Amino acid sequence: MNIVEGTLSPCILVKGRILLFRENRTWGFVPELKSIGFEEKDGYYERPCDPSEIEAAYKLEDTYTSYKGFEFGIIKSFEPDEYVKEQNEEPNKFTPIVNKFFEQANQTVFRMQFVYDSFTQTDTHSKYSYDEQRKKRISIYEYNMRRILRLEFGQNYNERIELELANDDPRYGWKRDYLDVLDDDIPDVWQIRKPVEGFPMLGEEKVYIKKDGVWLPRKEYGSRIDE
């Protein structure tokens, strides 16, 4: 499982186990579930679940981190071989920061996006058009990237930053508004979890999965909460 992977399905507590839930079915990935009535599927174990069985629940809002004093939402993570493969498929992405990843290709790479204020959220009900919102997001990205790269490269940042900011994403036809960063460069990663209507909240709203540079142990879906 991706270490920052989220799920659109609520996480639930049933008979002391943390599971996933959707359409009156629950599932997890621990093989011992098979011994307590779960049916083995393709890489997971599943059974019917009545909502009355659910003791508590939460839904994952998003996964966040901080970098150079800024807060980001993590879009996804790449293992080193995955990242090298992507960059080879998109050779125009070879920028100063990307080259740093190839020098340290034994690390996970995180793709992050700035956390914006309400003005810049892509909202179909906003009085601002999608293009206006996109333009605002890019302007914030460029402003903060200049501050970040000044910290990254010191006084010799001018040429490097122009290369980075000129790096359009050909897959979408616009300048990308995300940033790729090495695992070692982000000390903390946390999830924001929200209640599910009709059920007690399972755990805290803010849960660290990496703290002070150390990835914390994680329970696989299907594990007992007290293990």
Side-chain angles (χ1 to χ4, degrees):
M1 180 183 295
N2 188 313
I3 55 179
V4 295
E5 182 179 11
T7 173
L8 296 177
S9 302
C11 299
I12 62 173
L13 182 65
V14 175
K15 296 181 179 178
R17 293 184 182 273
I18 302 173
L19 296 155
L20 295 168
F21 179 80
R22 183 176 62 238
E23 298 177 352
N24 290 343
R25 301 194 70 81
T26 187
W27 70 97
F29 302 95
V30 177
E32 67 187 71
L33 291 173
K34 189 176 180 180
S35 66
I36 56 173
F38 284 69
E39 181 182 357
E40 185 173 2
K41 298 289 187 178
D42 184 18
Y44 64 98
Y45 303 86
E46 179 187 75
R47 73 163 174 82
C49 179
D50 190 279
S52 64
E53 297 182 68
I54 300 174
E55 303 162 33
Y58 73 82
K59 54 186 176 182
L60 179 64
E61 179 183 81
D62 217 333
T63 303
Y64 297 94
T65 187
S66 58
Y67 178 68
K68 303 293 186 182
F70 298 90
E71 187 171 304
F72 291 83
I74 296 180
I75 303 171
K76 65 186 297 185
S77 66
F78 298 87
E79 291 308 309
D81 56 339
E82 297 173 331
Y83 194 75
V84 170
K85 180 180 179 181
E86 185 196 69
Q87 299 308 315
N88 286 331
E89 292 172 351
E90 303 285 355
N92 69 317
K93 287 187 177 181
F94 283 85
T95 65
I97 289 185
V98 168
N99 286 334
K100 177 183 174 182
F101 299 149
F102 280 88
E103 296 168 3
Q104 305 178 55
N106 61 332
Q107 290 190 41
T108 302
V109 177
F110 293 93
R111 179 154 295 167
M112 315 184 306
Q113 194 170 58
F114 283 104
V115 176
Y116 304 99
D117 60 31
S118 59
F119 172 87
T120 59
Q121 294 295 327
T122 302
D123 181 356
T124 56
H125 302 291
S126 173
K127 65 181 180 180
Y128 301 102
S129 70
Y130 178 85
D131 287 342
E132 288 174 320
Q133 294 179 64
R134 183 75 190 180
K135 184 177 180 181
K136 181 67 174 178
R137 287 169 64 134
I138 292 296
S139 68
I140 293 174
Y141 168 79
E142 292 193 359
Y143 174 75
N144 287 313
M145 276 294 294
R146 291 180 186 278
R147 296 174 66 185
I148 287 173
L149 291 183
R150 185 186 292 275
L151 294 171
E152 186 85 24
F153 296 112
Q155 296 302 312
N156 298 320
Y157 83 104
N158 289 314
E159 179 181 356
R160 295 171 183 268
I161 192 173
E162 295 308 324
L163 287 170
E164 183 73 20
L165 294 178
N167 185 21
D168 293 349
D169 192 327
R171 294 171 297 179
Y172 306 108
W174 56 48
K175 187 173 291 183
R176 59 185 175 84
D177 60 351
Y178 59 79
L179 179 66
D180 293 338
V181 177
L182 292 168
D183 187 358
D184 280 355
D185 292 333
I186 53 174
D188 299 329
V189 177
W190 63 92
Q191 294 180 340
I192 298 297
R193 303 172 177 181
K194 297 295 184 180
V196 176
E197 186 176 357
F199 300 98
M201 177 68 177
L202 175 56
E204 302 296 325
E205 180 173 328
K206 183 176 182 178
V207 177
Y208 281 91
I209 59 176
K210 183 181 184 182
K211 185 68 174 171
D212 298 328
V214 178
W215 288 98
L216 306 179
R218 295 187 65 197
K219 292 184 180 294
E220 182 62 274
Y221 296 119
S223 301
R224 292 195 58 83
I225 196 169
D226 56 1
E227 289 179 343

